[in-house]
């Protein structure tokens, strides 16, 4: 399922794409969004994975696949910094999934101090596989312990970019400039859950989930962070992750501010949203 060895940037991109596709598939499948026919089956050791595929009988799943492909385009160009998936009830969020991406300019470096020899001809493949598997398993565990979504939910995606490298007129396939307000409002008390991260030496992907406190079942307490505010701005979504890689210290999200307060009205965070709303309903 994952590459046996990661020694090039292209191999790293392939891994990150697979992780993203598997994660989005998990989020839609275990939340009951599309019928069984919209998914294929793969295995990660003993874990049965359901992967979204182009199901022409379900327009909703077709759109999700196209949105993922649009994110792939921005990922290959090293433009995207944050990929958001949100479930909404009318205008209020009930679940928010954050995929943060970082790109390392110099690629993997030899770690002279460590005895693990993490970097020689690339990051130790076994370590990357282990981290990838753990991330997927944690996500599956979380999805299985969240309470069911109501029938009247809407799903959408947003892409946020690194403004210093992304052309102003760039839009990935299937996306357009985001015309909605910069703040995301939760209906209730949100709880932030850290799912995991994977570093290949070329890319770093981190996954976080924010959901209403009342939707959480028997989720492991170590996944949970302190409650955040009910209003989240695009600019603040990924401002908590400046900790050193591998450090167990996680700063609480501090998101109750607007883009104008942080970087001024003329330098708003570039954000894309899908050209078309999701078609179809719950299965």
């Amino acid at each position: 399922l994952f590459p046996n060895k990661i020694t090039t940037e292209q191999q790293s991109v392939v891994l990150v794409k697979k992780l993203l596709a598997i994660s989005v598939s998990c989020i839609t499948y275990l939340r009951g969004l599309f019928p069984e026919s919209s998914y294929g089956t793969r295995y990660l050791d003993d874990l049965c994975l359901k992967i979204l595929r182009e199901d022409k009988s379900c327009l909703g799943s077709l759109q999700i696949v196209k949105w993922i492909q649009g994110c792939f385009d921005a990922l290959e160009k090293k433009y995207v910094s944050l990929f958001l998936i949100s479930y909404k009830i009318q205008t209020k969020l009930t679940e928010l999934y954050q995929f943060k991406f970082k790109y390392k300019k110099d690629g993997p470096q030899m770690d002279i101090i460590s005895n693990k020899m993490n970097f020689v001809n690339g990051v130790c493949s076994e370590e990357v596989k282990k981290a990838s598997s753990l991330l997927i398993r944690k996500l599956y565990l979380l999805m299985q312990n969240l309470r069911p979504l109501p029938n009247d939910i809407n799903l959408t995606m947003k892409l946020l970019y690194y403004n210093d490298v992304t052309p102003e007129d760039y839009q990935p396939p299937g996306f357009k400039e985001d015309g909605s307000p910069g703040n995301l409002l939760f209906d209730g008390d949100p709880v932030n859950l850290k799912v995991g991260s994977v570093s290949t030496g070329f890319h770093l992907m981190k996954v976080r989930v924010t959901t209403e406190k009342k939707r959480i079942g028997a989720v492991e307490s170590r996944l949970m962070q302190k409650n955040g505010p009910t209003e989240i701005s695009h600019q603040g979504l990924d401002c908590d992750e400046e900790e050193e890689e591998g450090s167990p210290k996680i700063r609480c999200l501090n998101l109750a501010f607007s883009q104008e307060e942080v970087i001024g009205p003329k330098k708003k965070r570039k954000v894309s949203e899908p050209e078309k709303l999701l078609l179809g309903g719950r299965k």
Side-chain angles (χ1 to χ4, degrees), residues 126-190:
E126 287 303 315
E127 291 298 319
V128 174
K129 280 188 175 182
K130 184 176 179 181
S132 301
S133 177
L134 183 60
L135 187 150
I136 297 301
R137 289 176 183 276
K138 278 187 175 182
L139 192 57
Y140 262 69
L141 176 65
L142 175 60
M143 294 298 97
Q144 291 169 343
N145 283 280
L146 290 177
R147 290 187 168 83
L149 290 168
N151 290 326
D152 58 343
I153 57 96
N154 295 309
L155 179 148
T156 191
M157 297 182 179
K158 292 182 185 290
L159 296 178
L160 285 75
Y161 304 92
Y162 288 106
N163 281 5
D164 56 338
V165 296
T166 307
E168 289 187 14
D169 60 350
Y170 171 77
Q171 294 296 340
F175 285 80
K176 64 179 181 180
E177 184 177 354
D178 181 29
S180 61
N183 291 339
L184 307 172
L185 300 177
F186 262 88
D187 185 16
D189 295 326

Side-chain angles (χ1 to χ4, degrees), residues 42-254:
R42 298 290 297 274
Y43 286 89
L44 178 62
D45 297 326
D46 61 332
L47 182 63
C48 179
L49 303 176
K50 295 294 184 177
I51 311 297
L52 270 169
R53 61 186 179 187
E54 294 183 287
D55 178 13
K56 294 182 180 180
S57 66
C58 180
L59 295 178
S61 65
L62 272 177
Q63 287 188 359
I64 294 289
V65 171
K66 289 181 179 179
W67 293 351
I68 296 173
Q69 292 170 344
C71 183
F72 286 172
D73 183 82
L75 186 64
E76 290 173 352
K77 292 178 169 66
K78 301 183 182 179
Y79 291 163
V80 63
S81 65
L82 200 64
F83 177 51
L84 305 178
I85 300 175
S86 61
Y87 285 119
K88 288 184 176 182
I89 301 175
Q90 295 180 342
T91 60
K92 297 292 183 69
L93 290 174
T94 185
E95 291 178 11
L96 177 67
Y97 301 85
Q98 306 176 41
F99 297 84
K100 171 136 189 217
F101 303 101
K102 289 186 178 181
Y103 312 95
K104 299 189 177 181
K105 295 180 180 180
D106 301 325
Q109 303 293 314
M110 175 178 270
D111 187 348
I112 300 175
I113 299 176
S114 174
N115 292 325
K116 294 182 180 180
M117 295 299 289
N118 286 332
F119 307 113
V120 180
N121 293 320
V123 177
C124 176
S125 296
E126 287 303 315
E127 291 298 319
V128 174
K129 280 188 175 182
K130 184 176 179 181
S132 301
S133 177
L134 183 60
L135 187 150
I136 297 301
R137 289 176 183 276
K138 278 187 175 182
L139 192 57
Y140 262 69
L141 176 65
L142 175 60
M143 294 298 97
Q144 291 169 343
N145 283 280
L146 290 177
R147 290 187 168 83
L149 290 168
N151 290 326
D152 58 343
I153 57 96
N154 295 309
L155 179 148
T156 191
M157 297 182 179
K158 292 182 185 290
L159 296 178
L160 285 75
Y161 304 92
Y162 288 106
N163 281 5
D164 56 338
V165 296
T166 307
E168 289 187 14
D169 60 350
Y170 171 77
Q171 294 296 340
F175 285 80
K176 64 179 181 180
E177 184 177 354
D178 181 29
S180 61
N183 291 339
L184 307 172
L185 300 177
F186 262 88
D187 185 16
D189 295 326
V191 174
N192 301 303
L193 307 167
K194 51 177 183 176
V195 180
S197 65
V198 175
S199 177
T200 68
F202 295 96
H203 298 85
L204 173 64
M205 184 177 102
K206 292 186 177 183
V207 182
R208 302 290 165 91
V209 177
T210 307
T211 185
E212 292 178 83
K213 190 174 183 180
K214 66 182 181 181
R215 294 202 176 281
I216 298 176
V219 177
E220 295 180 64
S221 59
R222 62 191 176 90
L223 293 179
M224 296 179 62
Q225 293 178 262
K226 295 179 181 179
N227 284 7
T230 57
E231 185 172 288
I232 299 177
S233 78
H234 287 156
Q235 177 61 28
L237 279 167
D238 54 341
C239 289
D240 65 317
E241 302 187 56
E242 297 303 321
E243 70 272 13
E244 289 295 321
E245 186 178 339
S247 170
K249 184 178 180 181
I250 303 295
R251 293 169 55 196
C252 183
L253 295 178
N254 181 19

